[in-house]
Amino acid sequence: MSDLIIREAREGDLEPIVRLHAEDTLGGHGDVWSEETRGAYAAAFQRIVTSEDHALFVAERGAEVVGTFQVSAIPCLTGRGATRVKLEAVQVRADQRSRGIGAALIAAAEDWARSRGAAFVELTSNVARTGSHRFYARLGYAQSHLGFKKPLRA
């Protein structure tokens, strides 16, 4: 693991990040890197990296992106005005799994959250990701809520 670098994403990382998400058939987000989609991803990337409340990270090994995650700090009126951090889009390249990269990504996300004074980190995981659920539980995450989604566009 000494050759693993976790850092904030740069514009040149965008294609490998999207390709990591495109490989995820279980998540069902329909991500694909192409000339048609590049602009939408680039616009989202700019919104993330220009905000103090959001960040996108990559895990790099041997100059290749092998993992990624996104974090967002959310101020709340509940919890006596606590800040919570939402951890999303955690991905490790399939051929790099079970090597400690996922745990290193989560630790980096938690460090980012602590640096913003967050009271806790929350995440959601697709109900079909039973292996991920065991992974998060091993890292101290407990299931606490039932989530809902509603698409706003077709």
Side-chain angles (χ1 to χ4, degrees):
M1 284 288 290
S2 63
D3 62 337
L4 186 70
I5 297 168
I6 298 176
R7 60 169 175 76
E8 287 200 49
R10 300 185 287 253
E11 196 168 338
D13 299 320
L14 189 54
E15 181 177 352
I17 291 169
V18 173
R19 291 192 184 279
L20 274 174
H21 292 300
E23 290 176 7
D24 177 19
T25 57
L26 195 55
H29 294 285
D31 290 298
V32 62
W33 182 261
S34 69
E35 285 304 315
E36 290 109 26
T37 61
R38 179 187 309 241
Y41 290 119
F45 178 81
Q46 286 304 312
R47 287 194 310 272
I48 294 165
V49 300
T50 57
S51 170
E52 291 182 14
D53 293 326
H54 305 282
L56 180 63
F57 286 82
V58 295
E60 186 178 67
R61 175 176 269 160
E64 290 186 3
V65 172
V66 296
T68 188
F69 70 89
Q70 181 177 335
V71 282
S72 298
I74 306 165
C76 301
L77 288 178
T78 58
R80 299 183 180 183
T83 296
R84 62 187 164 103
V85 165
K86 174 87 180 216
L87 171 59
E88 298 183 282
V90 179
Q91 286 289 337
V92 175
R93 202 170 74 191
D95 67 336
Q96 296 290 310
R97 293 186 184 139
S98 298
R99 297 179 183 192
I101 295 170
L105 291 173
I106 301 302
E110 291 170 357
D111 288 344
W112 187 89
R114 282 186 200 92
S115 76
R116 276 144 184 85
F120 60 91
V121 175
E122 66 181 15
L123 60 88
T124 58
S125 180
N126 187 301
V127 69
R129 294 184 187 279
T130 56
S132 295
H133 304 162
R134 288 189 299 274
F135 168 74
Y136 293 128
R138 278 195 312 271
L139 296 178
Y141 287 78
Q143 186 176 2
S144 63
H145 289 74
L146 180 63
F148 299 88
K149 284 186 183 180
K150 178 181 179 182
L152 298 178
R153 59 182 167 164

